[in-house]
Amino acid sequence: MSSIAFKPFHGLRRSSAVPSPTSTTTTLSKPAVKFHVSAAKTSPKLSNRNLRVAIIGGGPAGGSAAETLAKAGIETFLIERKLDNCKPCGGAIPLCMVGEFDLPLDIIDRRVTKMKMISPSNIAVDIGQTLKPHEYIGMVRREVLDAYLRDRAKENGANVINGLFLKMDMPKHWDEPYVLHYTEYDGKKGAMGAKATLEVDAVIGADGANSRVAKAINAGDYDYAIAFQERIKIPDDKMVYYENLAEMYVGDDVSPDFYGWVFPKCDHVAVGTGTVTHKNDIKKFQLATRNRAKDKILGGKIIRVEAHPIPEHPRPRRLSGRVALVGDAAGYVTKCSGEGIYFAAKSGRMCAEAIVEGSQNGKKMVDEGDLRKYLEKWDKKYWPTYKVLDVLQKVFYRSNPAREAFVEMCADEYVQKMTFDSYLYKTVAPGNPLEDLKLAVNTIGSLVRANALTKEMEKLNV
C-alpha cells in the first residue's frame, strides 16, 4: 500500500489534530461551501440566549450534526449512551467522505483497492482494476470514527452527555421548549446513573434503527435487516492476503436477500452477513459465510460478536414540528450495498445546516418549515440513488442464478468504472451511450441465462 499516492486528492489530512474551537464560521467542509443564511419571516428573535438544540445519538449522524451546530454558535447538546459503542458495521466509507468531512488518515484502518465478488458457485471476479492510483475505499472501525467525530464536535463547543434518552415532553405552544428526560452517567452517581431533564428548542434524532425519538413523534415503522458480524483475529500470514482486499459473497447459503462480507480492519477481519426475510436464520447464514472464506481465515480467533438492526427504507415520517430524524433513525441505508455511514454523516450535517440557516446562526427560533428544507434537499439529491439500488436488489438478489448473472456483470470493466465512480464520489457518473447500450444488451443476456438456469434447477427439484 505504500505505493499508493494520496496527495492528488484534495482534502486529505495526515494527523488527527482537532480543529480550533474558536471558529464560528458556517464553512463546513473543504473546499469551503457557503450557503445563504436566512430565517423565516415569522421566526421571533431570541433574547439573551442562542438557540438550543439536542442531538440524540452519537454516531456519524449525531457527531456531524453536533459539530455543524456548535461551529455556528448554537447551544448544542449531544446525548449518547455508549461512548465506546462498536456497532456491527462493515465500516466501508467512500473516498469523498475523507475529504468532505476532513477525516485524518490515521483513523482509516485499511485502504481497499481490490475487491472480490464471489458467486454462489464460488466463481470469483476481481474488482478494482479501474481505480486510479489515489483512489480507494476506506475501512474504519465504528468505535474509532464515531469517537473522533464526537470529540471534534466537543472541541468546537458541543456539550457531550453520557446518557440514555428516555422520553420527550412535547410543547403545547409553538414557542415552548421540548423537555427531554434522560439518565445521566457521569461516573459520580454509580452504575444506575441519575435522572435528568433538558429543555431545548429543537431535537435531531440520530439514535439508530430503534430510535426513541422516532417513536416519540410517531414516525412509523419500517422493514429492517439483522446484521450479524464477527471480528476475527487471523494469523499474520493470512492477514497479508487482506491487506488491501475486501470480499463479498452472494448466495442463498450466506443470505437470501443480501450478501456476506469479509472486510479488513487494523489487525483483524470483520466477517458478517445480514437478512430481512429470514432473521431467525442469521446464525446459520453467518456460519455459511465463515465456511465460504474458511481457507483464508483458517486459524482465526473470534474476538468480538456483534448484531444490530439495519433499516431497509426511510420511515413514513422523518419530521414533526421542530424534531427531525437523520441517519439510521430516518432509514437512510441503501439497499443492495447496505451503505449507511456516509449517508448518516451527510444527513446529520444537512439537517444541522438547515437549522443554522433558519435560525440565523442561532439568533432566531426555528419552525418545521426551516427543518423541512433539509428533507427537500436530501430527497432531491439522494432519492434516485435509493430507488436504483432498490431495483438492483430486487432483480439480482432474488435467486442464485440471478446472483450468478450479477457477478458475471461485475467482471465488465465499464460496470466497474461506473460503479466505483458513483460510489467513491457520490455523484451520478456520466455514461458513454455506446457502452450503455452494450451494458443493457449484456444485462439482458445475463438475466436470460439466469432465468433459463432457474427453470432447469426447478425441473431438477421436482
Side-chain angles (χ1 to χ4, degrees), residues 122-389:
N122 278 327
I123 295 175
V125 168
D126 293 319
I127 301 174
Q129 58 198 28
T130 64
L131 290 177
K132 297 179 178 65
H134 70 279
E135 292 180 329
Y136 63 90
I137 296 172
M139 291 290 169
V140 298
R141 285 166 289 160
R142 283 293 302 275
E143 63 270 27
V144 176
L145 173 67
D146 295 7
Y148 175 78
L149 292 173
R150 284 195 304 268
D151 289 345
R152 195 164 70 180
K154 184 176 181 179
E155 289 293 331
N156 280 281
N159 300 285
V160 177
I161 300 171
N162 184 194
L164 174 64
F165 171 72
L166 301 173
K167 65 177 182 176
M168 177 166 55
D169 295 337
M170 301 296 181
K172 296 180 179 179
H173 192 261
W174 65 268
D175 61 348
E176 291 181 349
Y178 292 86
V179 180
L180 309 184
H181 298 259
Y182 64 98
T183 302
E184 184 173 6
Y185 303 94
D186 59 2
K188 300 177 182 178
K189 309 294 192 306
M192 298 299 292
K195 295 294 188 292
T197 60
L198 177 67
E199 292 186 354
V200 295
D201 302 303
V203 179
I204 297 177
D207 48 339
N210 293 321
S211 172
R212 292 186 176 183
V213 176
K215 290 181 175 65
I217 64 171
N218 297 315
D221 296 324
Y222 50 25
D223 290 334
Y224 66 93
I226 288 293
F228 191 97
Q229 178 174 273
E230 296 167 323
R231 300 197 191 193
I232 302 178
K233 177 77 172 178
I234 61 177
D236 292 343
D237 60 325
K238 299 285 187 181
M239 198 68 205
V240 171
Y241 173 77
Y242 289 108
E243 181 180 12
N244 62 342
L245 173 77
E247 293 181 323
M248 297 173 65
Y249 294 85
V250 291
D252 283 333
D253 57 334
V254 300
S255 176
D257 53 347
F258 203 55
Y259 63 87
W261 65 83
V262 181
F263 288 170
K265 304 297 180 182
C266 58
D267 60 354
H268 62 276
V269 292
V271 181
T273 185
T275 179
V276 176
T277 59
H278 293 67
K279 298 180 181 69
N280 291 334
D281 294 326
I282 188 65
K283 290 187 177 180
K284 180 181 73 173
F285 300 140
Q286 177 67 11
L287 178 60
T289 303
R290 283 208 315 269
N291 286 337
R292 293 274 292 273
K294 63 181 179 180
D295 292 338
K296 288 160 284 189
I297 62 174
L298 189 65
K301 179 182 179 181
I302 298 174
I303 58 177
R304 184 187 292 272
V305 178
E306 306 160 331
H308 199 273
I310 304 295
E312 273 291 287
H313 59 78
R315 289 188 188 272
R317 173 186 291 176
R318 292 167 287 160
L319 173 65
S320 178
R322 289 169 273 140
V323 181
L325 303 177
V326 296
D328 282 13
Y332 296 151
V333 176
T334 61
K335 289 193 175 182
C336 193
S337 65
E339 182 188 3
I341 296 177
Y342 173 82
F343 293 113
K346 187 68 173 179
S347 63
R349 175 177 281 183
M350 289 176 69
C351 183
E353 287 176 346
I355 293 174
V356 171
E357 180 180 357
S359 68
Q360 290 189 345
N361 285 53
K363 303 304 180 185
K364 290 191 174 185
M365 179 62 73
V366 292
D367 58 24
E368 183 172 315
D370 296 312
L371 274 68
R372 188 165 299 282
K373 292 178 181 178
Y374 136 67
L375 289 184
E376 291 171 353
K377 291 179 180 179
W378 175 269
D379 290 347
K380 182 178 180 180
K381 187 174 181 65
Y382 295 115
W383 204 255
T385 297
Y386 283 83
K387 296 306 294 182
V388 167
L389 291 174

